[in-house]
């Protein structure tokens, strides 16, 4: 399957190659912007809700760090070392393939965002899936690398956020006491 996808990718026009290479990283900027909007939306929500939103980005970092541990334990070679022409340059030796960190980060971002902003699922989950697939398309990962990375990220980040929300909530409470920006809405008033 990898060879078929990489072969098809190489047959596409140069502009598709450019979009695929840029898209694998540009999507991460979209997720960063969505996190900023999520924090803005939840700034007047109850303490725990804001804390859960703020726990999202560190949970994504935690999911990434755990995926790095898995990578070091499994040490799967990149498929691009097998002599198949690819769009992207093959990462250096020692930069292992399984699981795909891009997939983990994208899916972890989607999972953490959907946890606090369910209506965003229609955008976040498919965007993460496209970013994951793009890693196979440009030739640097096997399909199973991105599938496992996606599942790992989309499950691990919400779990980590939920595990840490208890520690973050008192920090939010303390910050709200010092900054008018973080003040919750009055009871009965609509969330800003």
């Amino acid at each position: 399957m990898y060879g078929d996808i990489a072969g098809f990718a190489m047959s596409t026009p140069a502009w598709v190659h450019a979009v695929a290479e840029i898209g694998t990283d540009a999507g991460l900027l979209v997720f960063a912007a969505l996190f900023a909007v999520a924090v803005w939306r939840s700034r007047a929500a109850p303490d725990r809700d804001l804390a859960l939103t703020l726990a999202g980005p560190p949970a994504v970092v935690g999911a990434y760090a755990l995926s790095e541990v898995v990578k070091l334990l499994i040490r799967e070679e990149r498929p691009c070392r097998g002599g198949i022409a690819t769009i992207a340059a093959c990462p250096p030796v020692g930069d292992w393939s399984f699981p795909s960190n891009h997939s983990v980060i994208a899916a972890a971002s989607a999972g953490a965002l959907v946890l606090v902003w369910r209506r965003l699922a229609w955008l976040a989950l498919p965007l993460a899936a496209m970013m994951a697939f793009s890693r196979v398309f440009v030739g640097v990962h096997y399909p199973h690398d991105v599938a496992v990375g996606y599942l790992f990220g989309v499950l691990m980040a919400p779990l980590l956020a939920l595990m840490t929300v208890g520690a973050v909530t008192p920090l939010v409470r303390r910050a709200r006491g010092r900054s008018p920006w973080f003040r919750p809405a009055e009871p009965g008033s609509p969330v800003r």
Side-chain angles (χ1 to χ4, degrees):
M1 182 187 291
Y2 166 79
D4 293 337
I5 294 170
F8 170 74
M10 289 302 293
S11 73
T12 59
W15 69 267
V16 174
H17 298 189
V19 167
E21 281 197 272
I22 292 167
T24 63
D25 292 324
L28 298 177
L29 297 175
V30 172
F31 281 118
L34 289 172
F35 273 117
V37 172
V39 169
W40 180 258
R41 287 181 77 243
S42 63
R43 73 192 185 286
D47 294 344
R48 185 181 184 282
D49 294 350
L50 178 56
L52 194 56
T53 304
L54 293 172
V60 171
V61 172
Y64 162 75
L66 290 171
S67 77
E68 272 297 305
V69 171
V70 172
K71 249 185 196 215
L72 292 173
L73 293 173
I74 295 184
R75 302 169 70 106
E76 178 187 73
E77 278 295 339
R78 296 276 181 163
C80 46
R81 295 202 212 317
I84 294 177
T86 60
I87 291 173
C90 199
V93 174
D95 186 347
W96 308 109
S97 190
F98 181 88
S100 162
N101 285 340
H102 275 80
S103 300
V104 169
I105 294 168
S109 297
L113 282 163
V114 169
L115 181 65
V116 298
W117 190 0
R118 284 175 181 68
R119 288 185 182 176
L120 199 59
W122 70 271
L123 172 66
L125 295 170
L127 176 60
M130 285 183 356
M131 290 174 61
F133 174 75
S134 74
R135 302 304 288 164
V136 178
F137 189 82
V138 300
V140 296
H141 281 288
Y142 291 109
H144 67 270
D145 298 339
V146 300
V148 170
Y150 186 96
L151 288 173
F152 186 88
V154 82
L155 296 173
M156 190 57 64
L159 179 64
L160 291 172
L162 288 168
M163 289 171 57
T164 58
V165 71
V168 178
T169 302
L171 299 174
V172 167
R173 219 172 273 126
R174 201 169 310 134
R176 282 186 159 163
R178 296 186 178 136
S179 170
W181 186 85
F182 276 112
R183 294 246 163 53
E186 295 298 320
S189 68
V191 175
R192 292 179 259 171

